[in-house]
Amino acid sequence: MPSHDETARAAPATDENILEAAGLLRAGALVAFPTETVYGLGGDATDDAAVAAIFEAKGRPSFNPLIIHLSSREAAETVAAFDERARAVAARHWPGPLTLVLPRARDCPVSLLAGAGLETIAVRVPGHPVAHALLNAVGRPVAAPSANRSGAVSPTRAEHVAAELGDAVALILDGGPCPVGIESTVLDLSGETACLLRPGAVTAEDIGTEVGALEIGDVSEGVRARDDGAQILRAPGQLASHYAPKAPLRLGCADPRPGEALLAFGADVPDGFARVLNLSGTGDLTEAAANLFAHLHTLDEAGVSGIATMPIPEVGLGRAINDRLRRAAARD
Ligand code: TXA
Ligand code: MG
C-alpha cells in the first residue's frame, strides 16, 4: 500500500488498481480518475477533511461548490431531491456528461463544505467505465472537481494531472485520453424554470422538451434573482477567467503576431504562425472538443508568446468550445 502523502503514482486503470483507488477514497485520501469529460480530483463527499483537502489541492475558493459523482440515479436520489423533470432528464442522459443542480435531499450525507453552504447540490452519474467501476466500488458519493489548479486548463490526460497536482493525490488512475474532453453540461432544475448554467456535450437541443422552457444562464454572473426576489448563487465557479493557459489568447484571429501559435479549426489554415495545432482538420466539433484542452496544454508547455484561435461555429458542441475559449481568453 502506498502512503497517502507520497508523490502520486499514475497507474493503469486495471480492476486491481480501481479497487485500490476505492480503498484509498474510503480511507480519506484523494484519487484522480478519468471521466468521459475530463479527469476528476476525487474525495469522499461525506468526509469534511477529504473535501477540505480537495479545495486545498486545487487552490480553489471555498465558496465554489463541487459536483458529487454517483454510480446510479438511485444513489443520486439519496443526496438530491428529484422531481419528474429531473427523473426524465436523468433517464435520458445518465450515465453521461450532464450535471443536475437539485435541492439537497433531506438527510443528505454530503459534507456541507462540498456544497459551499448552498441548499442545492450538483450531481452527476458519469458514463466512463473506469469512473463507473470506481464509484461502484467506493459505494459512497464522490466529490470531484476537474483535476487542475483553480483557474487553469482542465486535464484530459493522466499526464496533465501528474504535472499539476501530482503531490496532492495518492493515486492517479490512468484511463487514457477523455473521449469528450470538455466538462459536463450543468443544468439547474432547482427552481421552477430550468436553467442551463454551463454548456457541454449535452446541448440545449438534447435536453429537449422534458424541462419546458429553458433559460440560458449567464454563468459568469454567479448569481440570479430567485422568483421570491432573493439572490441565489448560480454556478459560482464559472468566474469569467477560467481554463486559462499561461500564454494570452486572442479569439477568432487570422493575422499572426511574432512568436504566436495558432489553434486552428478546419482545412483552411492561415500561414505565418510559429506553431499550428488543429482542433479538427475536417471541422468536426466532437473531435475539436476532445482536443481542446490537450492542445492548450501542449502550447503552454511549448512556451509560445501567445495563442490565436480560429472561429468555431456557435452550434451544438461549438457553443461549449467557444464558452471555454472565451473564459480562457479573459484576464480578469
Ligand atoms: O465534467 C465535469 O463536470 C467534471 C468531471 C470531473 O466530472 N467536473 C467539473 O467540476 O467540471 P468543477 O468543480 O470543475 O466544476 C463544477 C461546476 C462549477 O462551476 C460549480 O460552481 C458548479 O459546477 N456547481 C457545483 N455545485 C453547484 C450548485 N449547487 N449550484 C450551482 N452550480 C454548482
Ligand atoms: Mg473545473
Side-chain angles (χ1 to χ4, degrees):
M1 279 288 286
S3 74
H4 296 175
D5 56 5
E6 74 186 11
T7 299
R9 287 178 305 123
T14 58
D15 291 351
E16 198 189 344
N17 288 335
I18 289 171
L19 281 183
E20 184 185 335
L24 288 165
L25 283 168
R26 293 175 66 92
L30 304 187
V31 167
F33 63 97
T35 79
E36 68 275 41
T37 58
V38 300
Y39 275 76
L41 173 64
D44 178 351
T46 65
D47 176 343
D48 285 323
V51 171
I54 293 177
F55 285 121
E56 179 166 4
K58 276 189 72 81
R60 165 176 277 200
S62 55
F63 52 76
N64 190 354
L66 305 175
I67 295 175
I68 308 305
H69 296 65
L70 302 118
S71 59
S72 66
R73 180 172 60 77
E74 290 67 32
E77 295 227 17
T78 65
V79 305
F82 282 65
D83 59 13
E84 285 310 307
R85 290 176 308 175
R87 288 204 182 98
V89 175
R92 190 186 312 216
H93 295 289
W94 280 357
L98 175 69
T99 294
L100 296 179
V101 174
L102 297 170
R104 280 175 80 97
R106 238 180 307 140
D107 304 325
C108 174
V110 170
S111 150
L112 286 170
L113 183 60
L118 298 178
E119 287 165 15
T120 55
I121 188 163
V123 287
R124 143 165 150 81
V125 176
H128 195 292
V130 173
H132 184 76
L134 178 65
L135 291 166
N136 249 335
V138 176
R140 293 182 196 166
V142 170
S146 50
N148 52 279
R149 302 266 314 158
S150 187
V153 178
S154 292
T156 56
R157 291 161 194 262
E159 306 88 86
H160 300 155
V161 183
E164 205 159 317
L165 291 179
D167 294 349
V169 286
L171 185 64
I172 301 169
L173 281 177
D174 187 348
C178 300
V180 174
I182 279 194
E183 302 84 351
S184 61
T185 303
V186 179
L187 176 67
D188 185 347
L189 293 177
S190 66
E192 214 158 285
T193 311
C195 183
L196 190 76
L197 295 180
R198 180 170 74 180
V202 175
T203 63
E205 293 77 12
D206 294 332
I207 292 164
T209 50
E210 283 124 345
V211 299
L214 183 63
E215 225 177 82
I216 306 296
D218 179 352
V219 284
S220 52
E221 270 176 17
V223 290
R224 76 157 186 178
R226 215 165 52 183
D227 302 340
D228 64 5
Q231 295 264 290
I232 52 170
L233 219 52
R234 306 296 302 251
Q238 294 294 310
L239 308 174
S241 173
H242 211 102
Y243 313 103
K246 292 178 205 100
L249 222 73
R250 295 193 303 133
L251 303 185
C253 303
D255 53 318
R257 290 182 181 169
E260 199 176 41
L262 179 68
L263 196 58
F265 180 76
D268 199 8
V269 179
D271 292 328
F273 286 91
R275 170 126 196 226
V276 176
L277 287 182
N278 203 328
L279 290 171
S280 169
T282 59
D284 180 86
L285 290 170
T286 305
E287 185 187 10
N291 283 330
L292 177 65
F293 291 139
H295 282 3
L296 288 175
H297 276 285
T298 304
L299 292 176
D300 244 0
E301 279 152 27
V304 298
S305 67
I307 303 169
T309 70
M310 285 175 68
I312 310 280
E314 185 73 9
V315 293
L317 251 181
R319 288 203 202 108
I321 297 171
N322 285 325
D323 170 75
R324 305 310 190 271
L325 285 174
R326 277 192 293 273
R327 292 175 202 288
R331 290 280 152 179
D332 53 2

